[in-house]
Structures are given as C-alpha cells and as structure tokens.
Amino acid sequence: MNRNEVLDILNFRHACKEFDSTKKISSEDLEVILEGGRLAPSSVGIEPWHFIVIQNQELKDELAKVCFGGTKQIPTCSDFVIYLTRTPKEIKSDSPYIEHLLKDVQHLPEDASSNMKKFLKSAENMIGDANMQAYANEQTYIALSSMMLSAAMLNIDSCAIGGMDKKAVEKILVDRNLMDTDKFQVTLGCAFGYRVNKAKPKLRQPMNEVVTIVK
C-alpha cells in the first residue's frame, strides 16, 4: 500500500448519517473489523473493552429510540456495535480480571506478573479512583478508531454515536442479559454499513495549524 492509497482510505471514512439497509456486511468483513478492535493497543495491555454487535432489527430500532445521535444510522446500518468498558474495580491490580489477563492471556511468569501488578497499583494511586473510569474509557476509544479505520480499508462506512441515554441503553441490554453493570458500563456506539448518499469532501484545518514539528 502506497501513501496515496493510505490517504484515499482516510478520505473515504466519514460520519455516515444514513446507511443502505438492503446491504449487509459479510461475516468475513465483519470479523476483520472486530479484529481491528481486538488487536487495538491499550494502556499496559489491559484491554478493558467488550463489543456487543447488534444485527437484530427489532433491537436496533429499540436502541435508536434512546440514542438521539443515531436515529437514522442505527435502524439502517448493517451492524450496530455497542462499546462497553470495564468498571474501575475490574481493572484494579488485585482484580480477578487482571489476574486472568496476566496469567491466562499474556502468560506472564509469576515474577513478571507481580511486577506488573505493582506497576498497576502505582498507576491506580496516581490516577485515583475517581479517574479510573475515564482512563479505561479512553482505551475503548482507541479500539473504536481502529475498527473504523479497518472498516474504511474494506470500503465499509461507519458513524460513531456518543449521543445516547446510556442508562436507557444499559437497561435494554441488561433486560436482554447482554451486559453485567457490575463489570461494565456503556461508553458509546458505532454504526457500520454502506452509505446511501455520496460523502461530502472533508473540511479540515490546514496542516500548519494542527501540527508543530520540532527538529
């Protein structure tokens, strides 16, 4: 892939406001998009996210009613992804989740695992309990960005949706046994699919106004 192809992908991605409801993302392409999230970087590798992929039309329509930022996008998209983030107690150094992550996922030896827990503990003390959720949420946004870019590379459109009644969304998910609020909170959503209308040219500030290069 050359530089022009990279720029084409970046320009292709836009906040799609309405999707072609007759076009569905293939399971193969969806897997690549989800891998974009699964393989995304996170601070000290804590992977605090979980992605709920909504394809059920009835559920998409129900969610659209409590997501004021996605009234057109959610009902018409192929797949609506809800991004959950682990709660502060889930990502603390002494939590069962961190123990599982270090032992069963990262396969760290005991001494390395102990050192990582000490590092996480020092980070907790520095950040403070009140800011732990915001810290975790920031990691989930990285996964979102990676998934949107992965979609654009496949000529698949997306639209991040933060405008939602999170408590109402959580209730819908809890009622359907799709999330545990003790372990997760709703962070945002993203609709994926294929555009109905041609995208407008991107309007951005010039490079010299957003970049400073220090040599």
Side-chain angles (χ1 to χ4, degrees):
M1 182 178 292
N2 60 42
R3 288 187 291 274
N4 288 333
E5 289 172 327
V6 173
L7 289 172
D8 286 343
I9 291 168
L10 293 173
N11 279 292
F12 170 86
R13 192 220 59 78
H14 76 295
C16 185
K17 302 304 182 185
E18 185 175 2
F19 297 88
D20 185 340
S21 60
T22 67
K23 294 183 178 180
K24 302 301 179 185
I25 299 172
S26 70
S27 58
E28 293 82 6
D29 284 349
L30 178 61
E31 183 175 352
V32 172
I33 294 170
L34 294 172
E35 284 282 45
R38 189 180 72 88
L39 297 175
S42 62
S43 178
V44 293
I46 60 171
E47 303 178 43
W49 47 61
H50 186 82
F51 316 125
I52 299 179
V53 183
I54 310 296
Q55 298 177 335
N56 180 277
Q57 190 61 47
E58 178 187 353
L59 183 51
K60 285 192 291 183
D61 291 341
E62 185 178 0
L63 288 165
K65 294 176 182 177
V66 296
C67 297
F68 56 87
T71 54
K72 282 189 177 181
Q73 298 95 321
I74 299 173
T76 59
C77 73
S78 171
D79 298 84
F80 180 53
V81 179
I82 299 176
Y83 293 77
L84 305 183
T85 303
R86 290 185 180 273
T87 55
K89 74 170 192 173
E90 279 285 293
I91 58 171
K92 287 194 171 183
S93 57
D94 59 353
S95 72
Y97 170 70
I98 291 298
E99 178 68 25
H100 160 70
L101 195 65
L102 298 178
K103 180 180 179 182
D104 303 323
V105 179
Q106 299 179 7
H107 307 295
L108 294 182
E110 189 59 37
D111 58 339
S113 177
S114 178
N115 288 335
M116 179 58 76
K117 288 178 182 178
K118 289 178 183 177
F119 176 81
L120 288 171
K121 182 63 177 178
S122 66
E124 292 164 25
N125 294 336
M126 181 175 62
I127 295 172
D129 286 350
N131 295 318
M132 285 290 286
Q133 190 66 68
Y135 162 72
N137 289 350
E138 289 168 358
Q139 315 312 311
T140 301
Y141 275 87
I142 297 173
L144 164 73
S145 179
S146 182
M147 288 171 66
M148 294 174 75
L149 185 57
S150 298
M153 294 177 73
L154 297 170
N155 290 322
I156 294 172
D157 294 293
S158 60
C159 185
I161 297 168
M164 59 172 62
D165 182 339
K166 293 183 180 180
K167 291 298 183 184
V169 172
E170 285 184 359
K171 184 178 186 309
I172 291 171
L173 297 178
V174 168
D175 288 347
R176 292 180 179 244
N177 296 315
L178 291 173
M179 74 172 289
D180 180 351
T181 54
D182 193 47
K183 294 182 177 181
F184 293 97
Q185 74 154 24
V186 171
T187 301
L188 78 164
C190 189
F192 292 91
Y194 298 92
R195 67 188 68 177
V196 168
N197 302 309
K198 185 178 179 180
K200 296 178 181 179
K202 284 185 182 293
L203 299 176
R204 297 290 192 273
Q205 298 178 73
M207 185 73 77
N208 66 340
E209 292 185 14
V210 298
V211 175
T212 299
I213 298 177
V214 182
K215 295 185 177 180

